[in-house]
Amino acid sequence: MASTSTSSISLRNNAPGTRFPSSTASKLLHSNLKFPLLMPATKATGIKSSSATRYNEAVIDEEMDKIRRLQNGSDVRGVALQGEKGRTVDLSPPAVEAIAESFGEWVINGLEKEKGRVVENVRVSLGRDPRLSGASLSVAVFSGLVRAGCLAFDMGLATTPACFMSTLLTPFAYDASIMMTASHLPYTRNGLKFFTRRGGLTSPEVEEICGKAARKYANRLAKVSTMLKTPPERVDFMSTYAKHLRNIIKERVNHPFHYDTPLKGFQIIVNAGNGSGGFFTWDVLDKLGAETFGSLHLNPDGMFPNHIPNPEDKIAMALTRAAVLENSADLGIVFDTDVDRSGVVDKEGNPINGDRLIALMSAIVLREHPGTTIVTDARTSMALTRFIIDRGGQHCLYRVGYRNVIDKGVQLNKNGIETHLMMETSGHGALKENYFLDDGAYMVVKIIIEMVRMKLAGSDEGIGSLIKDLEEPLESVELRINIISEPRHAKARGIDAIETFRSYVEEGRIEGWELDSCGDCWVADGCLVDSNDDPAAVDAHMYRAKVSDEKLGQHGWIHLRQSIHNPNIAVNMQSMAPGGCLSMTKTLRDKFLVASGMDKILDITQIDKYARTGLVK
């Protein structure tokens, strides 16, 4: 076994010019470890059992699977603290260290391939939301980055969009960045989001990093040191980022009377949900002259004591709506924990999220870029498609998953199809003008600019008037089908179920159901796939079927997708006909799940209950 002699990890001073070559860094770390050294380098599956070690090949495989399962699409997420019934901690400091080290190596290798030479002084920043596990896991990130040979920079409390922008805005311009957050998930969870100057990583890239991290983790008999002789360099990037947002508002409003305070006379309520979004109140709105009295939950609190920081959360929206009406405010804003998503409330107290937020942003973007294509995920309504087309835009439906939607927009622009807006129904939205970054604060900036412009043009209607003709679906339901399987086999079983659904619809076994289509994108091979010669990899299988009958014609759709987060299948339905969702659910149960025998490997309890009672829970 490895030696157990101890001393403390020494993180290098992050001043320019102090980076050691990888081999030197490795020697430095191996001589300054606070915890047992790594096991001798060997192939993970080739480790031999002995009386001196608890490892054998089966254990190694299980340890590696634990790390691989932390991948959550283009992010990493897991349980960081005890407290959830039925869940154990899997995002531990050693796991995070291995993932951060693998990311650091991935960044260095990418830069060396790009430049064709050895690179030095590779700089990586880390930001985090206020979760309780953030401090200890940050140490693990810094330790992993040092092991990889990177220089680490600590941004402290930050937002996800700010982490990406730290790779672009001078004088920072880091080579890469990591945001530690689990978005709207409970306080017990945490995770990692990765960025380079070209944007967020793709699912295959994160899969590659987690695969390498799994091998590192499984070969270690170590705990991450909490004794850092030289801490990473602390930097204040959020002030620069806030100034960047303020300048955008000032320049684009170009107020004729008070340029530096264009929000003077407006009252804006912010609900930060005790996440990272409080800065937008005092560092953006207040400094631009807005009145923000009545704002909610601005102070960071990793327990999130008031409600889930999530623009889709009913409590968050209800509290914000009440504050807007009580204070006669012009606008209410709801941020999620790490501020890559947002929702708003108009002056009449109407919540604007989901399809309504996409419609609002579409109306604003189509005024600036007539005829542009707008990409959304495949859960948006038929009414939203009509809304976009009626304003001269094009609507591209694509796979569920914010990274999928954004990457589709990037691809369309490369193919010469002007695409300025990409949005998912969860609130993730990216604009071509903003580096294709899903930034909840930037979305709000766009809405605020439009609100001020409308006022300057003499309108008193408020921002909600832009979507007053958007039809709402009569019915909208989401159900879940749990996969009966060990975690390691759940993905394969989910794929099998989704592909069987596709076959049933394609072969006409379900009367009135037909795989949906959208222009050059067809629901095939993973739902609304790329029609170009270089399609993106499918990260989760999914299909959408349009539902019709002789009396009503097409009146709804049903969408089945494999969940990236949990071992289940999400079923989304919308209908413009009374009882349409109930009818679709009964058909799904009888004509597919039971007829195909899938009810033997899937837990259809929720489907069956809704089909019998019309109650979702």
Side-chain angles (χ1 to χ4, degrees), residues 123 178 250:
R123 303 156 70 241
I178 300 173
K250 288 193 288 187

Side-chain angles (χ1 to χ4, degrees), residues 89-111:
V89 171
D90 53 12
L91 193 71
S92 62
V96 169
E97 181 194 49
I99 293 168
E101 180 183 357
S102 298
F103 174 64
E105 292 172 348
W106 183 87
V107 171
I108 291 172
N109 292 337
L111 289 172

Side-chain angles (χ1 to χ4, degrees), residues 201-276:
L201 270 61
T202 64
S203 292
E205 288 169 338
V206 176
E207 183 178 5
E208 176 189 346
I209 288 166
C210 286
K212 291 179 179 178
R215 291 190 288 274
K216 296 180 193 298
Y217 178 81
N219 276 294
R220 286 180 179 168
L221 291 173
K223 293 183 179 179
V224 175
S225 169
T226 57
M227 300 296 291
L228 300 175
K229 283 185 177 179
T230 307
E233 183 177 334
R234 292 297 302 269
V235 294
D236 178 17
F237 178 75
M238 290 304 294
S239 294
T240 298
Y241 174 64
K243 182 179 179 182
H244 167 71
L245 296 178
R246 292 199 306 271
N247 287 340
I248 290 170
I249 294 174
K250 288 193 288 187
E251 290 167 7
R252 295 186 188 176
V253 169
N254 194 22
H255 202 287
F257 306 117
H258 32 90
Y259 178 87
D260 288 324
T261 54
L263 302 186
K264 186 177 180 181
F266 288 90
Q267 179 157 10
I268 302 175
I269 301 291
V270 175
N271 183 349
N274 301 111
S276 298

Side-chain angles (χ1 to χ4, degrees), residues 289-448:
E291 173 58 68
T292 57
F293 178 80
S295 290
L296 305 167
H297 318 318
L298 302 181
N299 294 326
D301 186 332
M303 292 294 290
F304 310 125
N306 294 290
H307 57 73
I308 298 170
N310 184 0
E312 294 183 291
D313 182 65
K314 291 181 179 179
I315 296 175
M317 273 294 178
L319 290 174
T320 309
R321 177 179 184 273
V324 167
L325 294 175
E326 182 181 343
N327 293 280
S328 300
D330 298 283
L331 185 70
I333 300 166
V334 181
F335 287 126
D336 78 337
T337 315
D338 56 326
V339 197
D340 59 356
R341 295 185 298 135
S342 57
V344 297
V345 175
D346 70 12
K347 63 186 294 185
E348 305 298 331
N350 299 309
I352 301 178
N353 53 13
D355 278 11
R356 291 169 60 82
L357 183 62
I358 298 174
L360 177 58
M361 290 304 303
S362 298
I364 292 171
V365 169
L366 283 166
R367 286 184 174 186
E368 299 172 345
H369 306 283
T372 192
T373 293
I374 291 163
V375 183
T376 73
D377 68 90
R379 296 171 299 179
T380 53
S381 67
M382 296 180 291
L384 177 65
T385 300
R386 288 193 295 271
F387 182 91
I388 292 170
I389 291 173
D390 287 348
R391 282 156 180 76
Q394 303 296 320
H395 187 195
C396 174
L397 291 168
Y398 197 56
R399 301 176 196 154
V400 174
Y402 74 92
R403 196 70 250 164
N404 293 329
V405 171
I406 294 170
D407 287 347
K408 180 64 173 178
V410 172
Q411 177 207 97
L412 288 173
N413 279 288
K414 286 181 178 177
N415 292 346
I417 301 172
E418 186 182 75
T419 306
H420 283 274
L421 176 65
M422 302 115 254
M423 288 199 73
E424 196 190 35
T425 49
S426 65
H428 282 283
L431 289 145
K432 179 182 179 182
E433 69 187 52
N434 190 42
Y435 310 99
F436 297 99
L437 172 65
D438 50 320
D439 184 344
Y442 192 87
M443 284 287 168
V444 170
V445 162
K446 292 285 290 185
I447 293 169
I448 288 172

Side-chain angles (χ1 to χ4, degrees), residues 355 380-384 386 470-477 552 555-557 573-582 584 610:
D355 278 11
T380 53
S381 67
M382 296 180 291
L384 177 65
R386 288 193 295 271
L470 174 69
E471 294 181 64
E472 301 285 347
L474 185 64
E475 297 179 351
S476 184
V477 172
L552 299 172
H555 60 82
W557 55 258
M573 294 172 280
Q574 284 189 5
S575 178
M576 300 301 290
C581 287
L582 187 60
M584 283 187 274
Y610 180 71

Side-chain angles (χ1 to χ4, degrees), residues 8-19:
S8 56
I9 285 183
S10 177
L11 275 180
R12 295 189 304 282
N13 189 312
N14 289 313
T18 59
R19 181 182 182 271

